[in-house]
Amino acid sequence: MVTKSLRPVSRETSAVVRDKGPLPVIVTVVGGVIELRAKGLRSTETLDVAWCYLTAVRQRLQAQRLERAKSRRQRK
C-alpha cells in the first residue's frame, strides 16, 4: 500500500534550470498537484498530476507510432 500525499513534501532535484544563473529545481507534491520552482526564487509553476500522466502516455504512444511508421518505410 502506498501512502497518500496529504501534507506538502518538497525535494531538491538534480535538474538544473538557467534562470538568473544555474539553479536546481525544487519539487513540492501536495495532494494531486506538483509545484515546480527554481531554488531561491518565489515564482512557482503548478501542474496537475493526472495531466502529467496523460501527457506522458500520449508522448509514449506518439513515439511508438512514429517508430512503427519508420520501420514500415524501411521495409518497403
Side-chain angles (χ1 to χ4, degrees), residues 6-73:
L6 301 175
R7 288 181 275 168
V9 177
S10 296
R11 297 288 184 265
E12 182 176 329
T13 67
S14 58
V16 176
V17 294
R18 305 214 181 279
D19 188 2
K20 298 183 181 179
L23 300 171
V25 176
I26 305 297
V27 176
T28 304
V29 177
V30 185
V33 174
I34 297 174
E35 294 178 348
L36 304 169
R37 68 178 179 84
K39 187 173 184 177
L41 301 181
R42 293 183 182 182
S43 60
T44 63
E45 303 300 328
T46 305
L47 302 169
D48 179 56
V49 174
W51 177 85
C52 291
Y53 178 80
L54 290 174
T55 301
V57 169
R58 287 183 187 130
Q59 286 181 339
R60 179 178 49 84
L61 293 174
Q62 181 64 24
Q64 288 174 346
R65 282 188 209 112
L66 290 173
E67 188 62 35
R68 270 188 259 132
K70 189 177 181 181
S71 68
R72 285 184 198 138
R73 277 188 247 124

